[in-house]
Amino acid sequence: MAGLAGHGVTSERVRTAADTAARFNRLIIPHLDAAYNFARFLSRDGDAAQDIVQDAFLRAYRSFDGYRGGDARSWVFAIVRNCYHVWLQENRRKSRVEMPLTDNSDGESPSIAQNIASEEDTPEAALIRKTESEHVRMVIYSLPDALREILVLRELEQLSYRQIADITELPIGTVMSRLARARQEFAKAWHGEASNEAAAS
């Protein structure tokens, strides 16, 4: 009897594991490509992005029992972002030094608060979304981490301010001000590159 009872417990575990795997495949795996793109923009390295995403999806599967629904893509992106920061710490000596952004406790810098990102499109925002050229990618790569991730999540992944705030664990005001700054920096870099090309030709 004890053997049969043990067999029943084992069968239940197998069934539960199969259900979990099926649910994971249905809800999480479809976001694999988007997760890779996000990791690539964060790390600026295709090989590193593969490692980051592999680690992220392994962590996601291990913690999937704790997933209680909601926006699966945002949940995946948050894990990818955490794995990227682990990778960054491990490769700090290989990474270029970037000045950290400082924010006030209310999440908005006085110099930026009057230039909050709006829902309205700018030419640069439309360009980022509609163009997959290497030139655009390199301009995005040139931005500091804190601006780059906000820009990618908003303009490429088209996430809401609330979703981005949840992923980055930042106040919405900070997300909006950083997005405004990211758009400005992208525009300056883009037009600067265009001017250099025109001068060289």
Side-chain angles (χ1 to χ4, degrees):
M1 294 295 291
L4 290 176
H7 179 71
V9 171
T10 301
S11 298
E12 180 63 27
R13 286 176 179 171
V14 170
R15 198 158 43 242
T16 300
D19 290 344
T20 298
R23 186 166 169 257
F24 185 85
N25 288 337
R26 185 177 73 254
L27 296 176
I28 306 302
I29 293 300
H31 303 294
L32 180 61
D33 288 344
Y36 172 77
N37 288 335
F38 183 40
R40 185 173 180 183
F41 273 111
L42 289 178
S43 64
R44 295 170 290 197
D45 184 314
D47 291 336
Q50 290 182 356
D51 293 339
I52 291 167
V53 169
Q54 182 176 352
D55 185 28
F57 272 69
L58 181 60
R59 293 188 185 197
Y61 187 77
R62 287 174 174 170
S63 61
F64 192 57
D65 286 342
Y67 175 66
R68 295 291 178 261
D71 184 16
R73 186 167 55 144
S74 295
W75 187 72
V76 169
F77 281 174
I79 298 174
V80 169
R81 182 176 182 268
N82 289 338
C83 289
Y84 161 68
H85 284 291
V86 170
W87 172 85
L88 190 63
Q89 289 175 358
E90 293 174 350
N91 295 274
R92 189 174 297 277
R93 286 176 297 181
K94 300 177 183 178
S95 302
R96 69 185 180 90
V97 177
E98 296 179 334
M99 293 298 292
L101 292 175
T102 57
D103 296 295
N104 290 342
S105 57
D106 63 358
E108 297 180 12
S109 171
S111 62
I112 301 175
Q114 296 174 350
N115 191 18
I116 294 298
S118 71
E119 296 288 346
E120 296 180 3
D121 239 357
T122 63
E124 293 77 21
L127 178 70
I128 294 168
R129 281 201 300 276
K130 294 178 182 178
T131 307
E132 275 297 322
S133 70
E134 187 64 21
H135 191 137
V136 170
R137 184 181 294 275
M138 295 311 295
V139 172
I140 296 175
Y141 282 177
S142 73
L143 301 177
D145 279 7
L147 300 184
R148 189 168 67 250
E149 67 177 5
I150 298 291
L151 193 70
V152 169
L153 290 172
R154 177 62 181 173
E155 306 299 359
L156 297 184
E157 298 301 333
Q158 299 185 30
L159 298 184
S160 68
Y161 296 141
R162 168 51 61 192
Q163 289 171 313
I164 298 172
D166 290 342
I167 291 169
T168 58
E169 299 181 333
L170 293 171
I172 288 182
T174 303
V175 169
M176 296 173 71
S177 61
R178 286 191 182 180
L179 179 59
R181 183 172 168 187
R183 286 172 172 169
Q184 291 173 353
E185 293 299 321
F186 177 89
K188 284 196 301 185
W190 177 263
H191 294 306
E193 289 285 337
S195 298
N196 291 338
E197 288 183 1
S201 61

